[in-house]
Amino acid sequence: MQPKKILILDGHPAESSLSRTFAETYRDAARKNGHDVRLVHLSDLQFDFDFGQGNYHDFKPLEPILEQVLQDFEWSDHLVLTTPMWWGGLPAKLKGLIARMFIPGRTFDTRTT
């Protein structure tokens, strides 16, 4: 099997969680099997997770930490997300991360489909 570049995103906003344990266990097993792994803990990221009133034409510039995470997404062949489901949804900080990073022209472009 060809080694993969794996990004693991621990999507729990707390420093200690079951999601973190899952992410670190997956990291250890993937590395043991020869894969290149990067692990990002949401709890370590400090950013404004409010998309604000900006829209897809005039959005906030990414903080350097978000730029780094986005570069990790672009680097990876495989993404693993560990996250709790609270009241049927994702944690607000994780949704904020997605809203801020997944912007047109970089992570997707609906004009070319």
Side-chain angles (χ1 to χ4, degrees), residues 9 23 42 44 50 55 61 66 79 82 98 102 104 112:
L9 175 58
L42 184 66
D44 294 342
D50 181 12
N55 57 38
L66 291 184
L79 172 67
T82 62
I98 293 167
F102 290 14
T112 60

Side-chain angles (χ1 to χ4, degrees), residues 39-94:
L39 173 57
V40 174
H41 295 289
L42 184 66
S43 63
D44 294 342
L45 306 179
Q46 299 300 318
F47 64 95
D48 179 5
F49 57 94
D50 181 12
F51 184 74
Q53 299 300 316
N55 57 38
Y56 282 138
H57 303 290
D58 184 29
F59 47 85
K60 294 178 191 177
L62 297 178
E63 290 90 338
I65 193 69
L66 291 184
E67 181 62 39
Q68 179 58 55
V69 175
L70 190 50
Q71 288 176 16
D72 289 342
F73 269 84
E74 293 168 341
W75 163 87
S76 68
D77 299 317
H78 185 75
L79 172 67
V80 175
L81 173 63
T82 62
T83 185
M85 292 297 292
W86 290 339
W87 297 102
L90 301 174
K93 189 173 180 181
L94 179 58

Side-chain angles (χ1 to χ4, degrees), residues 16-48:
S16 177
S17 69
L18 184 59
S19 296
R20 184 183 194 103
T21 301
F22 289 155
E24 291 173 352
T25 301
Y26 192 101
R27 176 202 56 203
D28 296 344
R31 283 185 177 157
K32 183 178 177 183
N33 285 287
H35 300 288
D36 190 4
V37 181
R38 295 180 185 174
L39 173 57
V40 174
H41 295 289
L42 184 66
S43 63
D44 294 342
L45 306 179
Q46 299 300 318
F47 64 95
D48 179 5

